[in-house]
Amino acid sequence: MPVLDPNPQNGQKKLLLVLGAMLGITVLIAIIATLASP
């Protein structure tokens, strides 16, 4: 995973996608944990 992308816009979009996916997964895990807790 290169830190500097030759294509700034594409790299920024990819970074936003990765951050969005991580946030979404975190929210999903939080919801599942809330539902699973007695």
Side-chain angles (χ1 to χ4, degrees):
M1 277 182 61
V3 178
L4 293 175
D5 209 310
N7 197 350
Q9 289 182 339
N10 194 20
Q12 202 171 21
K13 194 183 297 182
K14 196 181 301 180
L15 182 66
L16 281 175
L17 268 175
V18 172
L19 288 176
M22 285 169 53
L23 187 64
I25 292 174
T26 305
V27 171
L28 273 177
I29 292 177
I31 292 176
I32 293 175
T34 304
L35 290 176
S37 64

Short mmCIF file of all heavy atoms in Angstrom, two decimals:
data_model
loop_
_atom_site.label_atom_id
_atom_site.label_comp_id
_atom_site.label_asym_id
_atom_site.label_seq_id
_atom_site.Cartn_x
_atom_site.Cartn_y
_atom_site.Cartn_z
N MET A 1 0.83 -1.20 0.00
CA MET A 1 0.00 0.00 0.00
C MET A 1 0.87 1.26 0.00
O MET A 1 1.40 1.63 1.04
CB MET A 1 -0.89 0.03 1.24
CG MET A 1 -2.16 -0.80 1.08
SD MET A 1 -3.18 -0.68 2.55
CE MET A 1 -3.50 1.08 2.57
N PRO A 2 1.03 1.86 -1.15
CA PRO A 2 1.82 3.10 -1.21
C PRO A 2 1.10 4.24 -0.54
O PRO A 2 -0.11 4.40 -0.70
CB PRO A 2 1.98 3.36 -2.71
CG PRO A 2 0.84 2.65 -3.35
CD PRO A 2 0.54 1.47 -2.46
N VAL A 3 1.85 5.03 0.23
CA VAL A 3 1.22 6.16 0.92
C VAL A 3 0.90 7.28 -0.07
O VAL A 3 -0.16 7.89 -0.01
CB VAL A 3 2.15 6.68 2.02
CG1 VAL A 3 1.52 7.89 2.72
CG2 VAL A 3 2.43 5.57 3.03
N LEU A 4 1.85 7.52 -1.00
CA LEU A 4 1.63 8.57 -2.00
C LEU A 4 1.17 7.94 -3.30
O LEU A 4 1.84 7.08 -3.85
CB LEU A 4 2.94 9.33 -2.23
CG LEU A 4 3.41 10.14 -1.01
CD1 LEU A 4 4.77 10.76 -1.29
CD2 LEU A 4 2.40 11.23 -0.67
N ASP A 5 0.01 8.37 -3.79
CA ASP A 5 -0.53 7.84 -5.05
C ASP A 5 -0.17 8.79 -6.18
O ASP A 5 -0.33 10.00 -6.03
CB ASP A 5 -2.05 7.71 -4.92
CG ASP A 5 -2.56 6.58 -5.81
OD1 ASP A 5 -2.19 6.56 -6.99
OD2 ASP A 5 -3.32 5.75 -5.31
N PRO A 6 0.29 8.27 -7.31
CA PRO A 6 0.62 9.14 -8.45
C PRO A 6 -0.60 9.93 -8.92
O PRO A 6 -0.47 11.02 -9.44
CB PRO A 6 1.07 8.16 -9.54
CG PRO A 6 1.37 6.89 -8.84
CD PRO A 6 0.60 6.88 -7.55
N ASN A 7 -1.78 9.35 -8.76
CA ASN A 7 -3.02 10.02 -9.17
C ASN A 7 -3.74 10.52 -7.93
O ASN A 7 -4.37 9.73 -7.23
CB ASN A 7 -3.90 9.02 -9.96
CG ASN A 7 -4.97 9.75 -10.76
OD1 ASN A 7 -5.16 10.95 -10.59
ND2 ASN A 7 -5.65 9.04 -11.63
N PRO A 8 -3.67 11.80 -7.63
CA PRO A 8 -4.21 12.35 -6.36
C PRO A 8 -5.71 12.10 -6.22
O PRO A 8 -6.16 11.63 -5.20
CB PRO A 8 -3.92 13.84 -6.45
CG PRO A 8 -2.81 13.97 -7.45
CD PRO A 8 -3.01 12.84 -8.41
N GLN A 9 -6.51 12.40 -7.27
CA GLN A 9 -7.95 12.29 -7.16
C GLN A 9 -8.34 10.83 -6.94
O GLN A 9 -9.13 10.51 -6.06
CB GLN A 9 -8.62 12.84 -8.42
CG GLN A 9 -8.51 14.37 -8.50
CD GLN A 9 -9.22 14.91 -9.74
OE1 GLN A 9 -9.43 14.20 -10.70
NE2 GLN A 9 -9.56 16.18 -9.71
N ASN A 10 -7.78 9.94 -7.77
CA ASN A 10 -8.11 8.52 -7.63
C ASN A 10 -7.67 8.01 -6.26
O ASN A 10 -8.39 7.26 -5.62
CB ASN A 10 -7.41 7.72 -8.74
CG ASN A 10 -7.97 6.31 -8.85
OD1 ASN A 10 -9.07 6.04 -8.40
ND2 ASN A 10 -7.20 5.42 -9.44
N GLY A 11 -6.49 8.42 -5.81
CA GLY A 11 -6.00 7.99 -4.50
C GLY A 11 -6.90 8.50 -3.39
O GLY A 11 -7.19 7.79 -2.44
N GLN A 12 -7.36 9.75 -3.54
CA GLN A 12 -8.23 10.32 -2.51
C GLN A 12 -9.55 9.55 -2.47
O GLN A 12 -10.07 9.25 -1.40
CB GLN A 12 -8.49 11.80 -2.83
CG GLN A 12 -8.92 12.59 -1.60
CD GLN A 12 -8.95 14.08 -1.88
OE1 GLN A 12 -9.04 14.48 -3.04
NE2 GLN A 12 -8.86 14.90 -0.87
N LYS A 13 -10.08 9.23 -3.66
CA LYS A 13 -11.35 8.48 -3.71
C LYS A 13 -11.17 7.10 -3.08
O LYS A 13 -12.02 6.63 -2.33
CB LYS A 13 -11.80 8.34 -5.17
CG LYS A 13 -13.24 7.89 -5.31
CD LYS A 13 -13.61 7.70 -6.77
CE LYS A 13 -13.52 9.02 -7.53
NZ LYS A 13 -13.94 8.83 -8.93
N LYS A 14 -10.03 6.47 -3.37
CA LYS A 14 -9.76 5.14 -2.81
C LYS A 14 -9.64 5.24 -1.29
O LYS A 14 -10.15 4.39 -0.57
CB LYS A 14 -8.47 4.59 -3.43
CG LYS A 14 -8.31 3.09 -3.23
CD LYS A 14 -7.01 2.60 -3.84
CE LYS A 14 -6.94 2.90 -5.33
NZ LYS A 14 -5.68 2.41 -5.91
N LEU A 15 -8.96 6.30 -0.82
CA LEU A 15 -8.80 6.48 0.63
C LEU A 15 -10.16 6.68 1.30
O LEU A 15 -10.44 6.10 2.35
CB LEU A 15 -7.90 7.69 0.88
CG LEU A 15 -7.60 7.97 2.37
CD1 LEU A 15 -6.78 6.84 2.95
CD2 LEU A 15 -6.86 9.28 2.52
N LEU A 16 -11.01 7.48 0.66
CA LEU A 16 -12.35 7.70 1.21
C LEU A 16 -13.13 6.39 1.24
O LEU A 16 -13.84 6.11 2.20
CB LEU A 16 -13.11 8.74 0.36
CG LEU A 16 -12.70 10.19 0.65
CD1 LEU A 16 -13.43 11.13 -0.32
CD2 LEU A 16 -13.04 10.57 2.08
N LEU A 17 -12.98 5.58 0.19
CA LEU A 17 -13.68 4.28 0.15
C LEU A 17 -13.20 3.39 1.30
O LEU A 17 -14.00 2.76 1.99
CB LEU A 17 -13.41 3.58 -1.19
CG LEU A 17 -14.43 3.87 -2.28
CD1 LEU A 17 -14.01 3.23 -3.60
CD2 LEU A 17 -15.81 3.37 -1.87
N VAL A 18 -11.88 3.36 1.51
CA VAL A 18 -11.33 2.51 2.59
C VAL A 18 -11.81 3.01 3.95
O VAL A 18 -12.24 2.22 4.80
CB VAL A 18 -9.79 2.51 2.52
CG1 VAL A 18 -9.21 1.80 3.75
CG2 VAL A 18 -9.33 1.82 1.24
N LEU A 19 -11.77 4.33 4.15
CA LEU A 19 -12.21 4.88 5.44
C LEU A 19 -13.70 4.63 5.65
O LEU A 19 -14.13 4.26 6.74
CB LEU A 19 -11.93 6.39 5.49
CG LEU A 19 -10.46 6.75 5.64
CD1 LEU A 19 -10.28 8.27 5.59
CD2 LEU A 19 -9.90 6.21 6.95
N GLY A 20 -14.49 4.78 4.59
CA GLY A 20 -15.93 4.53 4.68
C GLY A 20 -16.21 3.07 5.00
O GLY A 20 -17.08 2.75 5.81
N ALA A 21 -15.47 2.17 4.37
CA ALA A 21 -15.66 0.73 4.63
C ALA A 21 -15.31 0.41 6.08
O ALA A 21 -16.03 -0.33 6.76
CB ALA A 21 -14.78 -0.08 3.68
N MET A 22 -14.19 0.97 6.57
CA MET A 22 -13.80 0.71 7.96
C MET A 22 -14.86 1.24 8.93
O MET A 22 -15.21 0.57 9.90
CB MET A 22 -12.45 1.39 8.25
CG MET A 22 -11.27 0.65 7.62
SD MET A 22 -9.75 1.60 7.70
CE MET A 22 -9.67 1.98 9.43
N LEU A 23 -15.38 2.43 8.65
CA LEU A 23 -16.41 3.01 9.51
C LEU A 23 -17.66 2.15 9.48
O LEU A 23 -18.26 1.88 10.51
CB LEU A 23 -16.71 4.44 9.04
CG LEU A 23 -17.65 5.23 9.97
CD1 LEU A 23 -16.98 5.44 11.31
CD2 LEU A 23 -18.01 6.57 9.34
N GLY A 24 -18.05 1.72 8.28
CA GLY A 24 -19.24 0.89 8.14
C GLY A 24 -19.10 -0.43 8.88
O GLY A 24 -20.02 -0.88 9.56
N ILE A 25 -17.93 -1.06 8.76
CA ILE A 25 -17.69 -2.33 9.46
C ILE A 25 -17.74 -2.11 10.97
O ILE A 25 -18.30 -2.92 11.71
CB ILE A 25 -16.33 -2.92 9.03
CG1 ILE A 25 -16.42 -3.37 7.56
CG2 ILE A 25 -15.95 -4.09 9.92
CD1 ILE A 25 -15.08 -3.82 7.01
N THR A 26 -17.15 -1.00 11.43
CA THR A 26 -17.18 -0.71 12.86
C THR A 26 -18.61 -0.54 13.36
O THR A 26 -18.98 -1.08 14.41
CB THR A 26 -16.38 0.57 13.15
OG1 THR A 26 -15.06 0.42 12.62
CG2 THR A 26 -16.29 0.84 14.64
N VAL A 27 -19.44 0.17 12.59
CA VAL A 27 -20.84 0.37 12.98
C VAL A 27 -21.57 -0.97 12.98
O VAL A 27 -22.35 -1.24 13.89
CB VAL A 27 -21.51 1.37 12.01
CG1 VAL A 27 -23.02 1.41 12.25
CG2 VAL A 27 -20.92 2.76 12.19
N LEU A 28 -21.32 -1.79 11.96
CA LEU A 28 -21.96 -3.11 11.89
C LEU A 28 -21.60 -3.94 13.12
O LEU A 28 -22.46 -4.57 13.74
CB LEU A 28 -21.53 -3.84 10.62
CG LEU A 28 -22.37 -3.53 9.38
CD1 LEU A 28 -21.82 -4.25 8.16
CD2 LEU A 28 -23.82 -3.93 9.61
N ILE A 29 -20.31 -3.95 13.48
CA ILE A 29 -19.87 -4.73 14.64
C ILE A 29 -20.53 -4.19 15.91
O ILE A 29 -20.97 -4.95 16.77
CB ILE A 29 -18.33 -4.68 14.76
CG1 ILE A 29 -17.71 -5.44 13.59
CG2 ILE A 29 -17.87 -5.26 16.10
CD1 ILE A 29 -16.19 -5.39 13.59
N ALA A 30 -20.64 -2.87 16.02
CA ALA A 30 -21.27 -2.27 17.20
C ALA A 30 -22.74 -2.67 17.28
O ALA A 30 -23.25 -3.03 18.36
CB ALA A 30 -21.14 -0.75 17.15
N ILE A 31 -23.44 -2.65 16.15
CA ILE A 31 -24.87 -3.03 16.14
C ILE A 31 -25.02 -4.50 16.51
O ILE A 31 -25.88 -4.87 17.32
CB ILE A 31 -25.48 -2.74 14.76
CG1 ILE A 31 -25.53 -1.22 14.52
CG2 ILE A 31 -26.87 -3.35 14.64
CD1 ILE A 31 -26.02 -0.87 13.13
N ILE A 32 -24.18 -5.37 15.91
CA ILE A 32 -24.26 -6.80 16.21
C ILE A 32 -23.96 -7.05 17.69
O ILE A 32 -24.63 -7.85 18.35
CB ILE A 32 -23.29 -7.57 15.31
CG1 ILE A 32 -23.75 -7.49 13.85
CG2 ILE A 32 -23.17 -9.02 15.76
CD1 ILE A 32 -22.79 -8.13 12.88
N ALA A 33 -22.96 -6.35 18.23
CA ALA A 33 -22.62 -6.53 19.63
C ALA A 33 -23.77 -6.07 20.53
O ALA A 33 -24.08 -6.70 21.54
CB ALA A 33 -21.35 -5.75 19.97
N THR A 34 -24.42 -4.98 20.13
CA THR A 34 -25.56 -4.49 20.92
C THR A 34 -26.71 -5.48 20.90
O THR A 34 -27.35 -5.75 21.92
CB THR A 34 -26.03 -3.13 20.37
OG1 THR A 34 -24.92 -2.24 20.37
CG2 THR A 34 -27.14 -2.55 21.22
N LEU A 35 -26.97 -6.05 19.73
CA LEU A 35 -28.06 -7.03 19.61
C LEU A 35 -27.71 -8.32 20.34
O LEU A 35 -28.59 -8.97 20.93
CB LEU A 35 -28.34 -7.32 18.12
CG LEU A 35 -28.99 -6.16 17.36
CD1 LEU A 35 -29.11 -6.53 15.88
CD2 LEU A 35 -30.35 -5.82 17.93
N ALA A 36 -26.43 -8.72 20.30
CA ALA A 36 -26.04 -9.99 20.90
C ALA A 36 -25.97 -9.91 22.41
O ALA A 36 -26.11 -10.90 23.10
CB ALA A 36 -24.68 -10.42 20.33
N SER A 37 -25.76 -8.70 22.94
CA SER A 37 -25.63 -8.59 24.41
C SER A 37 -27.00 -8.80 25.06
O SER A 37 -27.99 -8.25 24.59
CB SER A 37 -25.09 -7.20 24.77
OG SER A 37 -26.01 -6.20 24.38
N PRO A 38 -27.04 -9.57 26.14
CA PRO A 38 -28.31 -9.86 26.81
C PRO A 38 -28.89 -8.65 27.51
O PRO A 38 -28.15 -7.78 27.93
CB PRO A 38 -27.93 -10.95 27.84
CG PRO A 38 -26.47 -10.79 28.04
CD PRO A 38 -25.90 -10.23 26.76
#
